[in-house]
C-alpha cells in the first residue's frame, strides 16, 4: 500500500499486533480502540491566549473536531504558532515574523508525517500562518481543508471607525498635537470589540480571502466574523467535509492549479488586499509546482479591476464585505476574469460557486462594468532603482503621488526613519528610503507599518513617499513602495542611494528610477563598504544565509 491509498497511513501506524505499543501510548491520552479503526485527521490549530486573532480558536477547533467525529473520523489536534505581526511592528521582534511562515509549514510536515495522519483541517489566523499552511498542504498533498480565524467587526470611538491603522496613525496625530492622550487611549481601548483580526485588509484577512478563492476553504468561510455562530457552523461543516475529501481522494494537487492561483490573485487585487500576498503567492505556488513571478502579478494587475475599497484604502471592513456577499460575490463581480473550471474543497467548481453567489450590496462590491478603479490594486514597478521589481498598493496612493520626482533621505533601518518623521525633520517632497531591511539584510524583511504610519500621521501622505527593500503590512496606506529587489544586501542599487538623490516614481508607467548617472553609481560601488550583519547567531543567522530574495517568494531551501 502507498501513501496515496485513502485511510492507509494511520492504519499502518496504529493497527495490528506489532503496533500495540503505539496504541498503548495513545490510549494514555484517552483514545479508545474504536478511534484507531477510523481515519485519523490532523486538526492543526493556532490558538494562543495573547493575540486577538487566535484567542478564540479553541472553540473553533472543538467545532471542527465535532464535525470530524460526526462524519466518522478521529480528530488529532495539535498546535502550531503565530508570531503576531501587530505586536511586533517597529521592533526587533518583527524580524522573526516572515521567517515563521516556513517554520509553520515545516512543523505541520513534521507532525503529520511523523504520526502518519490521513488528512488535515488547518485552522489559521495570521498572515504568515495562512500561507505556511497552504505550503504544507501543497507539500504533503494529503486531503486538506482550511478555515480562517476570521475578522472582528470594526471598533468605534466617538463616532469614528477604529481600524489598526487608525490607532497607529493616531500616534502621529498625537505627536502633532491634533489628538489628545485621552483620545489616543480611547482609540486603543476601542479597537477590538471581540476576538478576531482587525476589520481591515490586513495581511491576515487578505489570506482568509485568498485561501477561499484558491479553493482550499468552504465558500463564504474566509470572511465570517470570528467566533460567531456562522463560523462555528462552518467549522463543523469543514470537519465533516474533510472526511468526504479523504473518501474521494481529493488532494491539494487537484485544487492548487495555475487557474486557481490566478483566481485567488485576481480576487486579492480586486479587494485591495495586502502587498504581502505577492510574496506569499510565489512561495505557495512553488510548493504546488506552479510557475508564478512578479511578471505574473504585473500581467494580471493590468487586467483586474479594483471592485472593493477595503480599509485602509477605503471605508469598508472585511465583515462588511462578508455581509455584501463575501468572496463568492467578488468572484461573480469579476465575471470573465474567473477561471470557472477550478475545483474547490466544497466539491463545486469556481463557476458553480459564482452561479450561486449574490452581490448583496453593490455599494460595497462594484462590478467589472463599474469598477472602483480600472486596474488591480497592486502594481509591480521596475526601473533603475528596482531592476527586478518592487511592489506598491496603488489603491492606497493619492493621485497626486502617482507621478513625481522626490529628493532622497536615506536610512539604514526603520527606527531612524520613524525618529526623523516623528521629529518633523522630513519635509514635503522627500522620498524616505529605508534599506538593509530585506530578507537577507534585515534579516527577516520587517514590515514597515511603523514608518508608513509615522509618515501618514505627520500629514505627509500627499507629498512624500517611502521606498524600501523591506515590506509592508496590509494596514499600510499612502505612497509606500516595498520589496525593492535586489535588496541592498544582495547588491541592489538601493545600497548606494545617497541623501539628496532624485528619485522618480511613475505608477501609471510602472517605473521606479534613481536619477543618477551610471558613472556616478559605479564610483559609489567602488567606495562601498557593506555593513556588518546584524545577527550573528541563532535562527535569523541561518535564515539570512539560506533565504531566497523577495522576488522568489522569500522561500527557504526545501526543494
Amino acid at each position: 500500500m502507498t501513501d496515496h491509498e485513502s485511510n492507509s497511513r494511520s492504519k499502518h501506524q496504529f493497527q495490528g499486533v506489532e503496533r500495540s505499543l503505539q496504541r498503548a501510548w495513545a490510549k494514555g491520552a484517552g483514545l479508545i480502540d474504536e478511534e484507531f479503526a477510523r481515519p485519523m485527521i490532523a486538526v492543526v490549530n493556532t490558538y494562543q491566549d495573547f493575540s486577538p486573532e487566535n484567542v478564540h480558536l479553541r472553540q473553533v477547533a472543538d467545532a471542527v473536531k465535532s464535525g470530524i467525529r460526526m462524519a466518522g473520523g478521529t480528530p488529532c489536534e495539535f498546535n502550531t504558532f503565530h508570531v503576531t505581526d501587530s505586536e511586533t511592528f517597529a521592533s526587533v521582534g518583527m524580524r522573526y515574523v516572515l521567517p515563521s511562515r516556513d517554520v509553520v509549514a515545516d512543523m505541520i510536515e513534521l507532525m503529520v508525517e511523523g504520526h502518519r495522519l490521513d488528512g488535515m483541517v488547518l485552522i489559521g489566523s495570521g498572515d504568515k500562518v495562512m500561507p505556511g499552511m497552504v505550503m504544507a498542504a501543497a507539500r504533503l498533498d494529503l486531503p486538506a481543508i482550511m478555515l480562517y480565524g476570521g475578522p472582528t467587526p470594526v471598533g468605534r470611538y466617538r463616532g469614528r471607525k477604529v481600524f489598526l491603522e487608525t490607532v497607529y496613525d493616531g500616534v502621529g496625530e498625537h505627536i502633532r498635537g491634533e489628538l489628545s492622550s485621552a483620545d489616543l487611549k480611547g482609540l486603543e481601548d476601542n479597537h477590538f470589540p471581540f476576538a478576531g483580526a482587525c476589520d481591515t485588509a490586513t495581511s491576515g484577512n487578505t489570506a482568509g480571502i485568498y485561501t477561499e478563492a484558491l479553493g482550499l476553504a468552504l465558500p463564504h468561510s474566509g470572511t465570517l466574523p470570528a467566533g460567531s455562530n456562522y463560523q462555528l457552523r462552518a467549522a463543523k461543516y469543514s470537519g465533516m467535509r474533510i472526511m468526504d475529501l479523504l473518501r474521494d481522494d481529493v488532494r491539494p494537487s487537484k485544487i492548487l492549479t495555475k487557474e486557481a492561483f490566478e483566481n485567488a490573485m485576481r480576487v486579492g487585487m480586486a479587494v485591495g488586499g495586502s502587498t504581502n500576498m505577492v510574496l506569499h503567492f510565489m512561495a505557495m505556488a512553488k510548493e504546488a509546482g506552479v510557475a508564478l513571478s512578479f511578471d505574473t502579478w504585473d500581467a494580471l494587475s493590468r487586467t483586474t479591476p479594483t471592485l472593493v475599497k477595503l480599509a485602509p484604502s477605503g471605508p469598508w471592513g472585511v465583515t462588511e464585505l462578508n455581509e455584501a456577499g463575501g468572496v463568492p460575490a467578488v468572484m461573480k463581480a469579476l465575471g470573465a476574469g474567473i477561471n470557472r473550471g477550478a475545483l474547490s474543497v466544497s466539491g463545486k467548481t469556481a463557476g458553480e460557486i459564482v452561479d450561486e453567489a449574490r452581490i448583496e450590496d453593490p455599494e460595497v462590491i462594484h462590478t467589472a462594468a463599474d469598477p472602483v478603479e480600472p486596474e488591480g490594486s497592486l502594481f509591480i514597478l521596475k526601473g533603475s532603482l528596482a531592476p527586478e521589481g518592487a511592489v506598491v498598493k496603488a489603491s492606497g496612493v493619492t493621485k497626486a503621488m502617482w507621478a513625481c520626482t522626490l529628493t532622497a533621505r536615506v536610512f539604514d533601518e526603520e527606527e531612524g526613519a520613524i525618529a526623523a518623521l516623528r521629529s518633523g525633520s522630513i519635509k514635503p517632497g522627500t522620498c524616505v528610503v529605508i534599506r538593509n531591511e530585506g530578507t537577507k539584510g534585515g534579516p527577516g524583511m520587517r514590515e514597515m507599518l511603523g514608518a508608513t504610519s509615522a509618515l501618514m500621521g505627520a500629514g505627509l501622505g500627499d507629498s512624500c513617499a517611502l521606498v524600501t527593500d523591506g515590506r509592508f503590512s496590509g494596514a499600510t496606506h499612502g505612497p509606500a513602495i516595498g520589496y525593492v529587489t535586489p535588496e541592498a544586501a544582495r547588491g541592489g542599487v538601493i545600497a548606494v542611494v545617497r541623501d539628496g538623490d532624485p528619485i522618480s516614481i511613475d505608477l501609471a508607467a510602472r517605473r521606479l528610477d534613481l536619477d543618477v548617472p551610471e558613472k556616478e553609481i559605479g564610483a559609489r560601488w567602488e567606495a562601498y563598504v557593506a555593513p556588518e550583519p546584524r545577527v550573528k547567531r541563532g535562527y535569523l543567522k541561518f535564515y539570512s544565509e539560506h533565504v531566497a530574495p523577495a522576488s522568489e517568494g522569500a522561500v527557504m531551501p526545501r526543494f
Side-chain angles (χ1 to χ4, degrees), residues 179-192:
L179 188 72
S180 70
S181 57
D183 282 339
L184 180 58
K185 187 176 187 300
L187 295 176
E188 177 184 325
D189 290 347
N190 290 280
H191 182 193
F192 285 90

Side-chain angles (χ1 to χ4, degrees), residues 478-548:
I481 301 170
Y483 307 87
V484 169
T485 51
E487 64 175 287
R490 299 181 194 270
V493 71
I494 192 172
V496 293
V497 177
R498 292 181 179 175
D499 287 350
D501 285 348
I503 293 176
S504 295
I505 298 167
D506 189 336
L507 298 193
R510 308 301 208 273
R511 296 288 304 182
L512 177 64
D513 290 291
L514 176 64
D515 294 334
V516 173
E518 288 186 16
K519 184 177 180 180
E520 169 62 18
I521 297 296
R524 292 182 187 181
W525 277 120
E526 289 180 5
Y528 179 73
V529 177
E532 282 287 310
R534 289 194 176 99
V535 180
K536 299 182 180 179
R537 62 181 297 175
Y539 186 76
L540 284 188
K541 179 179 184 293
F542 173 80
Y543 182 83
S544 69
E545 292 171 347
H546 294 88
V547 66

Side-chain angles (χ1 to χ4, degrees), residues 278-300:
V278 175
L279 193 73
H280 299 322
F281 265 81
M282 288 187 285
M284 295 184 299
K286 189 165 188 177
E287 290 279 7
V290 174
L292 200 161
S293 67
F294 272 0
D295 290 338
T296 314
W297 279 101
D298 183 55
L300 290 180

Side-chain angles (χ1 to χ4, degrees), residues 421 431-434 448 451-452 455 464-468 472 479-482:
L421 286 159
C431 182
V432 177
V433 177
I434 306 176
M448 304 283 109
T452 55
L455 186 145
C464 291
L466 194 153
V467 172
T468 179
F472 292 115
I481 301 170

Side-chain angles (χ1 to χ4, degrees), residues 105-325:
D106 293 346
M107 283 182 64
I108 295 170
E109 176 188 0
L110 292 169
M111 285 294 290
V112 173
E113 292 288 53
H115 295 89
R116 307 303 288 165
L117 301 174
D118 298 305
M120 302 180 288
V121 181
L122 303 162
I123 307 168
S125 202
D127 167 39
K128 311 308 172 294
V129 174
M130 295 293 285
M133 288 180 162
V134 176
M135 291 164 69
R139 185 185 302 172
L140 300 182
D141 200 27
L142 296 172
I145 190 169
M146 295 186 68
L147 181 64
Y148 178 53
T152 186
V154 65
R156 295 182 183 272
Y157 177 69
R158 293 189 171 178
R160 182 180 183 183
K161 286 185 175 182
V162 185
F163 296 109
L164 182 154
E165 61 275 7
T166 313
V167 181
Y168 228 139
D169 292 355
V171 175
E173 295 171 18
H174 173 64
I175 290 171
R176 296 206 321 264
E178 298 175 3
L179 188 72
S180 70
S181 57
D183 282 339
L184 180 58
K185 187 176 187 300
L187 295 176
E188 177 184 325
D189 290 347
N190 290 280
H191 182 193
F192 285 90
F194 305 103
C198 55
D199 199 21
T200 187
T202 57
S203 303
N205 283 334
T206 299
I209 290 167
Y210 69 60
T211 50
E212 180 185 333
L214 266 174
L216 283 179
L218 293 178
H220 295 284
S221 66
T223 56
L224 292 174
S228 64
N229 59 342
Y230 306 106
Q231 185 181 60
L232 294 178
R233 295 204 296 262
K236 290 180 180 179
Y237 283 123
S238 296
M240 295 171 70
R241 183 62 190 160
I242 188 62
M243 300 306 297
D244 296 333
L245 297 174
L246 185 63
R247 179 197 65 216
D248 298 335
D249 197 30
V250 178
R251 297 170 183 268
S253 55
K254 297 181 180 179
I255 294 170
L256 294 176
T257 61
K258 178 176 181 289
E259 291 75 17
F261 274 99
E262 289 185 357
N263 284 349
M265 292 162 72
R266 288 192 189 276
V267 168
M269 287 189 283
V271 302
S274 168
T275 57
N276 273 316
M277 66 178 168
V278 175
L279 193 73
H280 299 322
F281 265 81
M282 288 187 285
M284 295 184 299
K286 189 165 188 177
E287 290 279 7
V290 174
L292 200 161
S293 67
F294 272 0
D295 290 338
T296 314
W297 279 101
D298 183 55
L300 290 180
S301 174
R302 294 173 188 266
T303 58
T304 302
T306 299
L307 303 179
V308 183
K309 276 279 194 176
L310 290 179
S313 299
W316 306 114
V318 178
T319 54
E320 291 169 309
L321 171 63
N322 180 67
E323 293 167 0

